[in-house]
Amino acid sequence: MLYPSRLTQLAKNHADVVAAALCGVLLLFGWFTLHIGWVGLALLLLPAAYVVGGYESACEGLTTLFQEKELDVDLLMIMAALGAAGLGLWQREYSFIVDGATLILIFAISGALEGYAMRRTERSIRSLMSLTADTARVLRDGQEALMPVNTLQVGDRVLVRPGELIPTDGVIQEGYSTLNEAAITGESMPVEKAIGDTVFAGTLNGHGALKLTVHQPPESSLIQRVIRLVEQAQTETPPSQQFIERFERGYAKVIVLAGILLVLLPPFLLGWSWETTIYRALIFLVVASPCALMAATMPTLLSGIANGARQGILFKNGAQLELIGQVRAIAFDKTGTLTLGQPEVYKVIAADGYAEADVLKVAAALESSSEHPLGDAIVQAAQGLQWTAATDVQAFPGKGIVGTYHQQTVTVGNANFVSQTTQLSQSLIETAQVLEQDGKTVVWVAQGQQVMGLIAVADRLRPHVAEMIARLRALGIEQIVMLTGDNERTAQSIAQSLGLDQVYANLLPEDKLHVIKRLQQQYQHVAMIGDGINDAPALAQASVGIAMGIAGSDVALETADIVLMSDRLEKLEQAITLSRRSQRVVKQNIVFAIGFILLLLLANFGGNITLPLGVIGHEGSTVIVTLSGLRLLKG
């Protein structure tokens, strides 16, 4: 099989540049031959320049005309160029044919520059997602074999050597290392990973060798989902761009009608010659075309999407980049969003005659057989103590757990559950009430007929949440609320510590959705941030749904409009700031584009600009607007 040469590949990937260059060469030789009097050769070279430089635009314009029954900018440019050529042949002023070819050339160069700008945006997005390995070292029957990543199956064991990319999402079975997760989270600080931790495809292994177990198909890995979402974001058109495209189609019709009137009326009303009238009408077609206005939005939004992805903020489409800067109210889920979603033992209170270590050991003996998050926290806290697992363990969902430990019946659970078999002391009841008012969950521990003590468990707030809330208020967010299925007491405690405006507790998933609807009636644009399956309805209802990338469930990630890849809520402030910056750039571009069109129109009718000069001004403004949008790729 023959592979194309590098030159052929470059020509294929940059066909617009090659066409513009060839058009320029043909135009140069056509002008030169016309200048020295070889009119026949000039009339061969210049039409060739028209065809080479204008073929793509003509095809696009005609396709739009016949398939969508609409006029677009490409067709206006071709009409103006052909009009100049026709005028030149009619009047035998062949310099007009050169002017038309110059229009085609500058239009082709502008298209090539815009294509380069958009490819640069695409490369910037793609470079964020390029850290994907093609092969993985699979361990089977004690043998190591290199296999394509797409052939991996759930349950395969994969070896990752120091300095290698993680080929697919997996769970560490052996080894310890630090991983650079910048490709996924946007965070440059390495993260420590040990047995039982999840690692993600595209992250870079540090100095330790790791053995992983594949726990989901490679195509379902986090980085593959991110790539698909970014590709989707590039194909979807945001509302502002949709408006501009609708405006362009109506505007093009007005320009054509105005151009016809400009051809017919000035000779009778102003006494212009037909040659001058047609020439000025052609210039009008060029300078009035809304190319710069069309380029005001999409390059800016795509650059913003690329910038966000580099910071660990994934916008699924340009519409969400626009909307997040307009939100007036934000609703936060509690567990896993404002908090880490990892309960920890806050305090152990032993009853008279018992030690705190005894309370922990007995509770851990039962909870080691439980899958409840509170039980996991208790077992983790008791890791340094000596104990064995209880027997005859029976769980009562929502209440507690009962089992046998050292030949005695042990009960662990909430106060109502434990009080069914054991008398609770008043002093411990009062202590438990204080802890619950402070937002802690209290677990009672009883052995036989005696209460051994209490274990207070709490879910820690994410670092710097309070500062983040304050900065959101500084950005002008009017209402910040918390939605949770947790009890009112715990929710109020957290809300007070963070300075939230309102708390909605004891909510079911549909309740969260109804709260979002009420907020939208009052504030119109509302953002919802969550991580769990129970948050999905509210995320879908919100004007902008935001999911936590690492802690978030698959359903939340698929439903949300924006994903915070590093699970850092501070990124929310950056997302809002980036959105507002992008909207400022879009507005600046629109004002500049309209202003330049008006300036060129005045110059055409009040001055004496030539067709090439009008084209340079028109296409130059388009390039400036496009490059202006690319500013968002930086910072």
Side-chain angles (χ1 to χ4, degrees):
M1 179 179 177
L2 295 175
Y3 290 91
S5 67
R6 182 176 177 80
L7 187 61
T8 305
Q9 194 66 34
L10 283 173
K12 182 179 178 182
N13 294 337
H14 302 278
D16 50 359
V17 176
V18 174
L22 187 55
C23 176
V25 172
L26 291 169
L27 172 60
L28 178 63
F29 280 106
W31 169 82
F32 179 72
T33 53
L34 188 65
H35 185 69
I36 62 175
W38 295 1
V39 176
L41 183 56
L43 292 180
L44 289 175
L45 293 172
L46 290 173
Y50 276 67
V51 173
V52 171
Y55 176 78
E56 193 66 32
S57 295
C59 288
E60 290 180 9
L62 290 172
T63 299
T64 303
L65 178 64
F66 291 121
Q67 291 186 358
E68 301 179 26
K69 306 294 189 261
E70 297 286 354
L71 287 169
D72 69 359
V73 173
D74 295 294
L75 200 56
L76 288 181
M77 291 297 102
I78 298 301
M79 288 168 58
L82 292 176
L87 181 63
L89 290 172
W90 176 36
Q91 296 291 327
R92 296 187 180 276
E93 289 286 344
Y94 299 121
S95 60
F96 286 162
I97 303 178
V98 175
D99 287 350
T102 305
L103 186 160
I104 293 285
L105 172 62
I106 296 174
F107 195 56
I109 292 173
S110 173
L113 288 173
E114 289 179 48
Y116 165 76
M118 299 308 290
R119 284 193 294 272
R120 181 181 170 190
T121 303
E122 185 176 347
R123 283 199 305 272
S124 181
I125 294 174
R126 271 294 181 192
S127 67
L128 300 165
M129 311 306 169
S130 62
L131 292 177
T132 51
D134 296 323
T135 59
R137 301 179 190 277
V138 180
L139 301 173
R140 288 180 180 170
D141 301 323
Q143 300 295 317
E144 177 185 320
L146 275 178
M147 295 182 60
V149 170
N150 58 11
T151 64
L152 293 177
Q153 298 178 356
V154 175
D156 281 346
R157 286 170 57 82
V158 176
L159 172 65
V160 183
R161 292 176 177 171
E164 291 183 341
L165 289 173
I166 304 295
T168 188
D169 289 8
V171 178
I172 297 175
Q173 298 299 318
E174 295 182 34
Y176 166 85
S177 187
T178 56
L179 270 64
N180 184 334
E181 296 187 333
I184 295 292
T185 66
E187 301 300 321
S188 59
M189 290 297 293
V191 180
E192 294 183 356
K193 296 286 184 176
I195 294 174
D197 289 339
T198 301
V199 296
F200 302 105
T203 57
L204 185 62
N205 189 21
H207 298 293
L210 299 174
K211 291 183 180 179
L212 318 173
T213 297
V214 179
H215 70 299
Q216 63 180 356
E219 63 272 15
S220 299
S221 68
L222 181 60
I223 195 167
Q224 291 300 330
R225 295 204 303 268
V226 168
I227 291 172
R228 287 195 294 271
L229 291 172
V230 171
E231 289 172 341
Q232 178 185 339
Q234 290 180 282
T235 60
E236 293 187 357
T237 306
S240 59
Q241 182 67 16
Q242 290 174 4
F243 170 77
I244 287 179
E245 288 177 359
R246 288 195 302 271
F247 170 80
E248 178 223 0
R249 287 166 182 167
Y251 181 83
K253 294 174 184 176
V254 172
I255 294 301
V256 170
L257 180 61
I260 293 172
L261 293 175
L262 285 172
V263 170
L264 298 176
L265 297 181
F268 303 104
L269 299 180
L270 302 175
W272 289 6
S273 68
W274 285 106
E275 178 183 333
T276 300
T277 301
I278 294 172
Y279 193 66
R280 289 294 152 203
L282 292 175
I283 296 174
F284 169 79
L285 281 181
V286 172
V287 300
S289 297
C291 290
L293 192 60
M294 292 297 298
T297 303
M298 282 309 293
T300 304
L301 295 182
L302 287 177
S303 298
I305 290 171
N307 188 330
R310 191 163 56 240
Q311 298 183 60
I313 307 165
L314 176 62
F315 296 95
K316 292 189 179 179
N317 56 56
Q320 307 313 323
L321 177 59
E322 289 183 330
L323 274 175
I324 186 64
Q326 302 171 25
V327 298
R328 297 170 55 201
I330 299 179
F332 287 92
D333 171 54
K334 181 180 77 70
T335 306
T337 304
L338 289 175
T339 68
L340 293 171
Q342 299 170 351
E344 295 181 346
V345 171
Y346 169 75
K347 194 172 185 179
V348 179
I349 297 101
D352 294 340
Y354 294 97
E356 292 179 3
D358 294 333
V359 177
L360 259 182
K361 283 194 294 186
V362 170
L366 266 70
E367 295 290 3
S368 61
S369 301
S370 168
E371 296 180 355
H372 197 282
L374 297 183
D376 290 340
I378 291 171
V379 171
Q380 289 293 324
Q383 275 189 343
L385 305 175
Q386 297 295 321
W387 51 272
T388 57
T391 59
D392 301 325
V393 176
Q394 185 178 5
F396 295 84
K399 298 178 181 179
I401 189 168
V402 176
T404 302
Y405 184 68
H406 289 179
Q407 299 179 347
Q408 292 195 63
T409 299
V410 176
T411 306
V412 178
N414 60 38
N416 290 335
F417 183 63
V418 175
S419 65
Q420 292 175 9
T421 57
T422 310
Q423 182 68 38
L424 308 184
S425 72
Q426 187 60 36
S427 61
L428 286 178
I429 291 174
E430 292 173 358
T431 302
Q433 289 174 347
V434 172
L435 290 168
E436 287 174 346
Q437 287 173 357
D438 196 31
K440 309 299 184 292
T441 300
V442 175
V443 177
W444 290 75
V445 182
Q447 191 172 41
Q449 302 298 315
Q450 299 292 321
V451 173
M452 297 183 66
L454 310 173
I455 301 175
V457 181
D459 189 0
R460 287 193 297 121
L461 287 172
R462 290 186 180 275
H464 315 300
V465 171
E467 295 92 326
M468 182 272 298
I469 297 291
R471 288 196 296 271
L472 289 177
R473 293 197 188 283
L475 286 174
I477 305 300
E478 299 174 34
Q479 186 81 351
I480 302 176
V481 305
M482 182 172 73
L483 313 181
T484 180
D486 208 342
N487 65 75
E488 183 79 27
R489 213 180 284 172
T490 301
Q492 287 292 349
S493 173
I494 291 175
Q496 288 173 10
S497 66
L498 297 177
L500 301 179
D501 295 311
Q502 205 162 353
V503 175
Y504 299 89
N506 299 308
L507 298 180
L508 296 173
E510 57 267 30
D511 298 328
K512 293 183 178 182
L513 183 145
H514 295 321
V515 172
I516 295 296
K517 285 183 176 180
R518 289 201 299 272
L519 288 171
Q520 285 175 322
Q521 290 174 358
Q522 186 173 359
Y523 296 101
Q524 191 177 2
H525 296 302
V526 177
M528 166 70 190
I529 309 174
D531 70 308
I533 294 174
N534 63 336
D535 297 321
L539 289 172
Q541 174 63 38
S543 311
V544 183
I546 305 168
M548 308 296 278
I550 296 175
S553 68
D554 287 347
V555 175
L557 291 174
E558 293 299 328
T559 305
D561 305 302
I562 300 173
V563 180
L564 306 182
M565 300 305 300
S566 63
D567 278 6
R568 286 181 52 184
L569 286 176
E570 305 95 282
K571 298 292 184 180
L572 177 58
E573 176 195 1
Q574 295 177 23
I576 294 173
T577 302
L578 181 61
S579 170
R580 293 180 179 178
R581 184 183 168 202
S582 73
Q583 291 309 295
R584 284 198 300 272
V585 172
V586 167
K587 290 174 182 176
Q588 290 167 5
N589 288 346
I590 290 173
V591 169
F592 177 83
I594 293 174
F596 217 84
I597 289 173
L598 293 175
L599 181 64
L600 289 171
L601 288 173
L602 290 173
N604 182 35
F605 293 107
N608 194 28
I609 64 171
T610 62
L611 183 60
L613 192 59
V615 173
I616 290 172
H618 175 265
E619 297 302 326
S621 66
T622 304
V623 171
I624 290 172
V625 166
T626 302
L627 295 177
S628 171
L630 296 185
R631 285 183 290 162
L632 286 185
L633 286 174
K634 295 183 178 180

